[in-house]
Amino acid sequence: QSALTQPASVSGSPGQSITISCTGTSSDVGGYIYVSWYQQHPGKAPKLMIYDVSNRPSGVSNRFSGSKSGNTASLTISGLQAEDEADYYCSSYTSSNTLVFGGGTKLTVL
Amino acid sequence: QVQLVESGGGVVQPGRSLRLSCAASGFTFSSYGMHWVRQAPGKGLEWVAVIWYDGSHKYYTDSVKGRSTISRDNSKNTLYLQMNSLRAEDTAVYYCARDLSQGYSYAFDYWGQGTLVTVSS
């Protein structure tokens, strides 16, 4: 159950778009639609931003979008805002009926 | 509104046991799968275990398999995690989280505030 691979950090200026990648294998990301993304601000519980690769829960801004190609999923945030600065984690269901998270990406809004 | 409140954390010596609880309210607890997720200080998220809505299926991450048991009491709207033979590497904030579905979605739409478990002599 190795962690999914995410970049340690990304940054962007307000109004710009950024993309965070999440790479796994055919036994997790590549094999299922059950890929999710979470936002976590310091000292807070994570918040679900995307589920089933590209679905947004009610209340999540449409500036957040998800996609997948092969063994790599991606989270794109458009129109960056200061409040988007946080840690982002991807997760995927696995062939072992378990779940694996990515190592997390720290987003800095410059 | 949906609320998940964890309890039972604290400081425990290596090799000892601890039982975490998660009290749920604001939704039909018996209709949703539930998970435990942990986060070591300054580290990333780690999924721990899942239990389906009716308790019929339970799955664990390898590092706790054989040492931990997830369970639920739908009559009390409460989720549990029994952890035995605790190790220093089990030190983390433990979150309970609600599955989007009966247990097979593996996406978590509500989280508790977390309870800190510190394993130290």
Side-chain angles (χ1 to χ4, degrees), chain B residues 60-103:
Chain B
Y60 302 87
T61 191
D62 284 348
S63 60
V64 308
K65 200 178 298 182
R67 299 189 298 122
S68 298
T69 301
I70 188 171
S71 62
R72 65 192 297 159
D73 186 335
N74 286 344
S75 68
K76 296 182 177 179
N77 292 341
T78 303
L79 173 73
Y80 303 101
L81 183 67
Q82 175 70 41
M83 300 188 296
N84 302 323
S85 302
L86 283 162
R87 307 165 180 167
E89 52 265 36
D90 294 317
T91 295
V93 172
Y94 285 72
Y95 295 100
C96 66
R98 190 182 83 165
D99 194 282
L100 276 177
S101 70
Q102 296 173 327

Side-chain angles (χ1 to χ4, degrees), chain B residues 25-39:
Chain B
S25 61
F27 66 102
T28 304
F29 181 69
S30 59
S31 295
Y32 289 87
M34 297 295 297
H35 300 254
W36 287 99
V37 176
R38 67 185 179 182
Q39 187 169 34

